[in-house]
Amino acid sequence: MLLYSSLPPRPSQLVTTTSLFEHTFDHAANGMALIAVDGRFLRVNGSLRALLGYPEEELLGFDFQRLTHPEDLGAFLANLGQLIRGEVGSFQLEKRCRHKDGHFLSVMHVVTLAREIDQRPRFFVDQIIDVSALREAEARAVTEAKTKQRLYEELARTNAELHHLQNQLLTVCAWTKRIRAGEQWQTIEDFLTTRLHLKVTHGISDEARQEFVASLDKGTPPPKPSV
């Protein structure tokens, strides 16, 4: 007993199936193309034409190699080879396609292969999904993350420098010219020698020398060193 499904389709069924495919192909929201085994575009839908910016006549004069970024072509051809050899039934691959105005779009390809009755490759069915906005958003997120990380690092360095400066701040008495070291007040000379271990020699600044000379000219007692 033969099942109905084993019978060849009626002509009306073929027409209905073909019409359904053509309607789906032409009105798909994503780009779709039928591509010959040698890479030539056999048919393209309106969404793909709008995506790439080419009129139908011009696009049908191209092959996909011409519109593919050179750096992405090798991987795409390798996947097509696996499809032809029957190693995979379909594949998904992201690559860059050139728009008519020259810039490249990031698109996801979902590719299957239609075969003849004798299993010879007939044409590729390629669904093209624009993911440019997603990749641009990801790139912005990476840039923003790097900017934030740089700001955090700069803030950390600034905080460290401020902490270092705070530890290095000295309290100086303006009247006695003494420096507070812990709970004690020391003369500048003691602080330099005991805290910083510096050797101190006495000298006279240009300002003190000028005041000393001026007092001699005026006949007044020379100024005394500050305590």
Side-chain angles (χ1 to χ4, degrees), residues 35-38 42 80-81 83-86 112-125:
I35 302 175
V37 177
D38 62 4
L42 302 176
L80 290 179
L83 200 57
I84 291 174
R85 293 189 297 271
T112 57
L113 177 62
R115 295 181 180 273
E116 303 285 358
I117 296 177
D118 59 4
Q119 294 302 303
R120 286 184 297 110
R122 186 176 181 185
F123 55 76
F124 299 107
V125 181

Side-chain angles (χ1 to χ4, degrees), residues 13-47:
Q13 290 178 311
L14 291 174
V15 171
T16 301
T17 302
T18 302
S19 300
L20 179 61
F21 172 79
E22 290 180 349
H23 182 274
T24 302
F25 184 95
D26 292 334
H27 296 87
N30 296 319
M32 292 191 68
L34 303 183
I35 302 175
V37 177
D38 62 4
R40 292 177 296 108
F41 287 105
L42 302 176
R43 183 169 179 173
V44 293
N45 71 350
S47 296

